[in-house]
Each structure stands twice: as C-alpha cells, then as structure tokens.
Amino acid sequence: MNELLQRTKVKEVATIKNLHIVQTTDLISSALKMLASYGITSAPVFDSSKNRFVGFVDTLDLASFVVLMYKENSKSHPHLYNPQELAAAFHLPVSTLINASGRDPFWPIDGNESLATLIGAFLTGGLHRTPVKVDGEVVGIVSQSDAVRFLHKHPSAMNAFRDKTVAELGFTSCDRPLVTVSSESTLSDAFALIVQHRISGLPVVNPRNGKIINNISASDLKGISELSFFRLEAQLFQIFDYQDKVCD
C-alpha cells in the first residue's frame, strides 16, 4: 500500500471540479443556504480584497455559531424567538466564522505532493480537509472522504487487512469515551455536545435501554435560519418521528 500512496499525487484524488466558494463578505445565512443547496459540508472562503483564500467554513463552525446564538437568546428571553433579533446575527459576515470550531486550520497542500504525505497530515495535524494548490493557485479541495474513496477503488492494496474486523484493527479501543445523546434531549443539547467535543456527530440512544436508535451530526444544521431557530427546542425523538412520517 505504501508504494501506491507514495506514487499517487494529491491532485489525482482531490475534488477539482465544481469548487463552491464563499466570500468573506457573504452573510452567514447565505453560507448556510449554499451548503444545504449543494449538499456539501464545507467551503473555502475567498477574500477579494486580498485576492486569496483565507480559510474554511464548515458545518461545525456553523454549529458553534448556532449554539452560541441559542445560549445568548436563552439568557435574554428563553423560549421566545424574535426573528428580527436573530436575523441580525444570521446577517453577520462569514469571515466571523472561519475555523470557529478550531478543527480545520487553513493548510494548503501542493497538488504534486504524495497521497502518503496528505494522509500523514490528516493523522497528525487533525485536518479533515485541505485546499489543493497547483502552480500556486487553489484549484480544489481534498478531504478524508476523498482519501477513503481512493482506497476503496484499490482493494488489492489493502490485502493485508481488508478482511479484518473493526475490532481486530483496533478501532474499538479509544482514549476518549463514546459521546452519546438521549433521544429525549433537545436539538440544542445535541449540537452543544457536538461543539463541546469537537466531533462531527454522535449516536442517539434510547435512555431506557441505552441502545442506539439514530444519529445526529453538525451537517443537520444546514439550512437553519432565524425563522426555524425555534426548532432547536424540539426533542430528538420528535424530530425522528416527524421524519419517519414524511418518508412514509
């Protein structure tokens, strides 16, 4: 496998086409709508005044913003939501959210670097995605998911461990305890846990038997606005019941 990773260039794995970007001056509400519209979890932020990319904004950054807004609103008038007040926050520029989660520092990688170098950065630098440069210009994004998709297309390179169980690979042992949320907790509780632990998502458990019944992630916030903010008080089981009825 090491040989494959060393000879494969990052630009061969990265998402080059259809690069969706946001401007530093774009509104947070616009960024939320764009992520939801294209079904993506992050976008690079471009500063026209400096003529360069300055960072990322992703769903965890937006979750951090929403959790903070919920706390501030609860202090002033709990359980009451004034769309005009909330709109002022949603109409702040995206630049205020760049890497608010602290999870995606802006670390561009040259497209001619090896995939091995990239995966090393993912493992040691805490990166989930990074911009790809070719001839000094950002041409795309490469993420952990891109690396996984590449490996999936080359199963022979993983012969040594592709038939091993998750437990045999050591993925079930972790230094950190599993973070879960009760189905009777609210959406705001769940997103607060996601932000607190700087994780993408978490399993939802039945409080009576501890069994996992669903999951929730930061990306579930895509599309939230000042008009739907009140839904953060809904309990998770209510959200799941509603989704099931809609699907039926």
Side-chain angles (χ1 to χ4, degrees), residues 112-167:
N112 292 310
E113 286 283 0
S114 70
L115 184 55
T117 299
L118 174 70
I119 292 177
F122 284 155
L123 293 174
T124 62
L127 300 173
H128 288 73
R129 60 188 63 82
T130 186
V132 179
K133 281 189 172 184
V134 174
D135 296 329
E137 296 291 330
V138 173
V139 297
I141 297 174
V142 64
S143 67
Q144 291 180 353
S145 297
D146 291 320
V148 170
R149 276 191 289 269
F150 174 81
L151 292 174
H152 178 69
K153 293 177 181 178
H154 298 81
S156 60
M158 299 185 289
N159 283 337
F161 52 82
R162 68 175 181 173
D163 294 325
K164 292 184 180 294
T165 65
V166 172

Side-chain angles (χ1 to χ4, degrees), residues 17 96 109 229-230:
K17 296 180 179 179
T96 60
I109 188 171
F229 203 80
F230 69 93

Side-chain angles (χ1 to χ4, degrees), residues 131-207:
V132 179
K133 281 189 172 184
V134 174
D135 296 329
E137 296 291 330
V138 173
V139 297
I141 297 174
V142 64
S143 67
Q144 291 180 353
S145 297
D146 291 320
V148 170
R149 276 191 289 269
F150 174 81
L151 292 174
H152 178 69
K153 293 177 181 178
H154 298 81
S156 60
M158 299 185 289
N159 283 337
F161 52 82
R162 68 175 181 173
D163 294 325
K164 292 184 180 294
T165 65
V166 172
E168 289 173 332
L169 291 172
F171 294 149
T172 55
S173 58
C174 185
D175 296 333
R176 296 186 300 176
L178 178 65
V179 181
T180 64
V181 64
S182 166
S183 60
E184 294 181 352
S185 298
T186 64
L187 274 173
S188 63
D189 292 333
F191 292 129
L193 282 172
I194 287 173
V195 171
Q196 176 187 344
H197 295 279
R198 295 173 63 187
I199 52 181
S200 300
L202 68 168
V204 179
V205 300
N206 183 323

